[in-house]
Amino acid sequence: ADAVMLEVVAWVGAFTALFAALIAIAQYDIKRILAYSTVSQLGLMMVGLGAGGLALGDGGISIGMFHLLTHAFFKALLFLGAGSIIHGCGDEQDIRLMGGVYDKMKVSSIAYLAGTLALCAFPYTSGFFSKDQILLSAWTANSAVFWISAFASLLTAFYMTRQCCYVFLGKYRGEGQIHESPPMMTVPLVILAVFVLVMGVVSEE
């Protein structure tokens, strides 16, 4: 009975991760993209709990919880970074009306890109280590769940890269002038960015 329930948890998690990622692709509001991304990552955490439980028994709980921990850091960084970018762009949230933000808001942009790399599971970021564990457990427990979860993770990289291209590249398409946010907003971003980039390595050791 326990194995059946863990299987259900893994399947629901995989479909949640995929469905929310597909919705995120169609969004243009910078915060809404992150919100659907959060739902998608919660799905992956459930895959970690379900597939991890099937693959490792009681030890599987740590796989889902590890992604919960790393995700807390990089998603906090992304939401705060989005707030800083919105502030710098005159309260604009539509990524179609941004562009060229990197040139004018370097600190916020670099911090945001650090969070993006972690969310996309770029090698040796915190998200890389936690997603790696989830996908490994899914590969061991159920190949179909693995492929759905892997595709959802690929979509994560796609919609975040799309968002970053809209926001940071090209010329500014909105009104007014872009300006960097005050230290009260940028200092927490830098601190979180450091945690996001090194926490996975520390956790592995």
Side-chain angles (χ1 to χ4, degrees):
D2 285 349
V4 173
M5 288 310 299
L6 288 170
E7 194 88 36
V8 170
V9 169
W11 274 103
V12 170
F15 276 112
T16 301
L18 178 61
F19 189 61
L22 288 169
I23 296 173
I25 288 173
Q27 303 302 315
Y28 289 102
D29 183 311
I30 188 169
K31 289 199 296 184
R32 194 169 287 178
I33 294 169
L34 296 179
Y36 281 113
S37 170
T38 301
V39 177
S40 182
Q41 298 308 304
L42 288 170
L44 283 181
M45 290 171 208
M46 293 302 106
V47 172
L49 291 175
L54 289 169
L56 301 173
D58 291 341
I61 294 173
S62 62
I63 294 175
M65 295 304 291
F66 184 30
H67 194 53
L68 176 66
L69 178 65
T70 60
H71 179 261
F73 278 92
F74 59 72
K75 194 52 68 74
L77 170 58
L78 286 168
F79 269 110
L80 287 173
S84 178
I85 291 166
I86 290 166
H87 174 75
C89 293
D91 295 336
E92 182 57 66
Q93 292 184 204
D94 191 331
I95 59 174
R96 292 170 293 185
L97 297 176
M98 295 181 183
V101 169
Y102 183 82
D103 291 335
K104 304 289 186 182
M105 302 180 68
K106 283 211 164 44
V107 176
S108 295
S109 299
I110 291 170
Y112 194 89
L113 289 168
T116 299
L117 288 175
L119 175 58
C120 296
F122 191 80
Y124 300 107
T125 60
S126 58
F128 167 76
F129 290 106
S130 58
K131 273 194 188 177
D132 186 55
Q133 293 294 319
I134 291 171
L135 292 174
L136 180 61
S137 65
W139 178 259
T140 306
N142 187 314
S143 59
V145 169
F146 166 79
W147 286 112
I148 295 170
S149 302
F151 185 55
S153 298
L154 181 66
L155 291 179
T156 302
F158 175 76
Y159 63 69
M160 288 306 294
T161 302
R162 164 186 175 267
Q163 183 198 61
C164 288
C165 289
Y166 264 107
V167 174
F168 299 120
L169 303 180
K171 293 183 178 179
Y172 185 51
R173 297 177 294 275
E175 297 177 0
Q177 295 290 317
I178 311 175
H179 58 86
E180 181 61 276
S181 299
M184 184 173 70
M185 296 174 77
T186 56
V187 170
L189 294 180
V190 173
I191 295 169
L192 279 169
V194 171
F195 272 103
V196 158
L197 295 176
V198 305
M199 192 174 67
V201 179
V202 173
S203 301
E204 280 291 293
E205 292 174 359

